[in-house]
């Protein structure tokens, strides 16, 4: 259950951005979460709602995109999506590969409301 | 107004881990991140290693637990410098906590630091601490299916220790299936079987530590 500490990092980054842009509040957060990243997005959403109380992010939407796992076979370099906890290459059967995608935990976008219009040049 | 950020959520942890790694390399210290479920025998394995490596290898220990200094007290009785990190309920160690612990170890005098993570098979795997190698410990009462249930830990481990093998006659632990699961996660896995009660396998465990610590620290 490390979701709360992760949410605090997200909140800090979003608040830093909101302050830098002079925004009134943060209205939305979008994450990329890898399928093999051991976090529970639903728990993060719940933790975000709790941790954002009284901050400029209170009431912000919290969404995520799941990034499917992709493994590159060490033997024949086939790129495949593992169907279970075993990474067995569909082309050659090799059990060793390296993860190319699916381990992400990335803050993709922050949506800000009440950003002052850029000063006319 | 939408702002593309595209930044790793654990950027701060990753930066602090990289800083720890640099410090360890500069001090020529190998660091081991030791992970397992609670009660699998991590502390006992460290005690056994400290006993056998006394006078041969300069060992330091970081103990991570949600509460108490019980483990640090055990290790300090082995005449090994030890720092207890209390995570106050936290389920894993993070790089900042390890960095603070390293401040309290005489790094320049050490060759090997064992970081005993909080007992947990999920969360510790997600946090880089700046370690050189990763060790996963599993004990026989936990069952042979642990590698399949917690693949990420076992796939990433440089060494797997199967502890409490003295209990095998009393358990339904199927070692063939355990080995099969490990082989499907990593065909080149390294396994050492130990018992801290009988001393079986402890020589292999300490030899592995010795060999690992003898390799120059390269980031």
């Amino acid at each position: 259950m490390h979701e709360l500490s992760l949410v605090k990092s997200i909140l800090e980054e979003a608040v830093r951005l909101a302050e830098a842009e002079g925004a009134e509040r943060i209205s939305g957060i979008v994450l990329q979460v890898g399928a093999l990243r051991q976090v529970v997005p639903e728990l993060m959403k719940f933790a975000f709602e709790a941790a954002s109380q009284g901050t400029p992010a209170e009431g912000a939407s919290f969404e995520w995109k799941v990034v499917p796992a992709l493994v590159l076979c060490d033997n024949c370099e086939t790129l495949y999506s593992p169907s279970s906890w075993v990474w067995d290459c569909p082309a050659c059967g090799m059990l060793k590969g390296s993860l190319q995608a699916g381990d992400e935990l990335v803050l993709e976008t922050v949506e800000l409301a009440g950003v002052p219009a850029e000063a006319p040049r | 107004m939408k702002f593309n950020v595209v930044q790793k959520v654990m950027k701060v942890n990753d930066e602090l881990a990289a800083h720890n790694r640099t410090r360890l390399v500069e001090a020529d210290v190998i660091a081991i991140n030791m992970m397992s479920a609670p009660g699998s025998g991590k502390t006992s394995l460290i005690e056994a290693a400290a006993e056998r490596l006394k006078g041969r290898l300069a060992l330091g220990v970081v103990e991570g637990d949600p509460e108490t200094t019980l483990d640090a007290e055990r290790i300090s009785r082995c005449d090994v410098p030890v720092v207890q990190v209390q995570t106050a309920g936290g389920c894993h160690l993070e790089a900042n906590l390890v960095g603070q612990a390293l401040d309290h170890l005489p790094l320049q005098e050490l060759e090997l630091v064992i970081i005993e993570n909080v007992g947990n098979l999920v969360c510790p795997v997600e946090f880089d601490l700046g370690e050189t190698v990763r060790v996963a410990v599993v004990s026989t009462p936990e069952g042979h299916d642990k590698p399949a249930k917690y693949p990420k830990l076992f796939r990433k481990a440089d060494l797997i220790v199967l502890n409490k093998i003295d209990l095998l006659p009393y358990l339904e632990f199927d070692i063939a299936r355990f080995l099969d699961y490990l082989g499907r996660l990593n065909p080149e896995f390294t396994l050492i079987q130990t018992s801290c009660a009988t001393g079986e396998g402890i020589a292999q465990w300490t030899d592995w530590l010795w060999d690992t610590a003898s390799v120059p620290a390269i980031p």
Side-chain angles (χ1 to χ4, degrees):
Chain A
M1 237 310 279
H2 44 276
E3 280 75 5
L4 185 59
S5 71
L6 300 177
V7 156
K8 284 180 179 163
S9 313
I10 294 166
L11 201 53
E12 275 170 25
E13 183 58 27
V15 169
R16 198 193 57 73
L17 182 70
E19 283 173 358
E21 297 294 333
E24 284 170 18
R25 59 187 192 86
I26 296 154
S27 50
I29 299 278
V30 180
L31 296 184
Q32 296 170 9
V33 181
L36 297 185
R37 190 84 205 199
Q38 301 187 120
V39 295
V40 186
E42 289 80 1
L43 282 180
M44 289 184 80
K45 183 180 166 74
F46 181 72
F48 181 82
E49 282 163 9
S52 61
Q53 297 285 317
T55 76
E58 189 172 338
S61 65
F62 189 92
E63 291 163 26
W64 60 89
K65 301 170 181 171
V66 174
V67 184
L70 270 182
V71 174
L72 182 69
C73 175
D74 269 8
N75 182 43
C76 71
E77 299 195 337
T78 296
L79 199 60
Y80 63 98
S81 309
S83 53
S84 76
W85 59 273
V86 179
W87 298 351
D88 47 347
C89 174
C92 74
M94 176 74 175
L95 287 167
K96 234 175 137 57
S98 54
L99 199 61
Q100 304 296 306
D103 204 33
E104 294 79 1
L105 185 58
V106 171
L107 177 58
E108 186 179 274
T109 57
V110 175
E111 194 170 355
L112 302 178
V115 180
E118 228 176 290
R121 286 166 197 266
Chain B
M1 195 182 286
K2 267 191 184 167
F3 289 82
N4 288 322
V5 181
V6 193
Q7 178 179 299
K8 284 185 177 179
V9 171
M10 286 173 31
K11 181 170 160 262
V12 173
N13 186 76
D14 290 349
E15 285 169 357
L16 291 169
H19 179 66
N20 290 347
R21 194 164 275 123
T22 303
R23 280 178 74 184
L24 290 160
V25 168
E26 282 172 1
D28 200 15
V29 172
I30 296 288
I32 293 177
N33 184 359
M34 205 170 170
M35 291 174 275
S36 80
S40 63
K42 292 187 294 303
T43 314
S44 298
L45 285 163
I46 298 171
E47 285 175 319
E51 190 67 38
R52 284 185 68 101
L53 292 170
K54 194 174 281 181
R56 293 169 57 207
L57 187 70
L59 176 67
V61 176
V62 176
E63 281 291 339
D65 281 300
E67 281 295 345
T68 82
T69 56
L70 290 168
D71 279 358
E73 289 163 29
R74 282 173 62 181
I75 299 299
S76 64
R77 284 195 281 273
C78 306
D79 283 330
V80 166
V82 57
V83 180
Q84 179 77 51
V85 177
Q86 289 168 329
T87 61
C91 53
H92 59 272
L93 288 177
E94 293 190 17
N96 68 330
L97 295 172
V98 171
Q100 289 164 24
L102 294 180
D103 293 341
H104 297 281
L105 283 178
L107 278 191
Q108 297 304 329
E109 297 161 24
L110 299 180
E111 292 165 283
L112 179 70
V113 169
I114 301 180
I115 304 163
E116 184 184 332
N117 218 311
V118 177
N120 180 330
L121 294 174
V122 179
C123 311
V125 187
E126 299 295 330
F127 292 82
D128 184 10
L129 304 179
E131 72 270 15
T132 325
V133 289
R134 294 176 158 210
V135 173
V137 182
V138 60
S139 66
T140 54
E142 295 165 46
H144 52 253
D145 54 8
K146 286 298 160 293
K149 286 183 174 173
Y150 301 90
K152 205 168 181 180
L153 169 63
F154 293 95
R155 187 178 272 124
K156 280 190 165 186
D158 297 284
L159 171 72
I160 293 142
V161 178
L162 177 62
N163 194 25
K164 307 191 190 180
I165 54 165
D166 54 300
L167 298 179
L168 280 171
Y170 314 103
L171 302 168
E172 289 177 12
F173 187 97
D174 185 337
I175 195 144
R177 287 181 69 185
F178 178 71
L179 296 175
D180 176 54
Y181 288 142
L182 288 180
R184 286 201 261 165
L185 286 172
N186 175 7
E188 292 150 14
F189 70 89
T190 306
L191 173 74
I192 294 174
Q193 302 185 41
T194 56
S195 164
C196 295
T198 65
E200 198 176 344
I202 296 301
Q204 286 99 299
W205 159 237
T206 47
D207 285 351
W208 185 89
L209 290 173
W210 172 263
D211 291 343
T212 301
S214 307
V215 176
I218 297 165

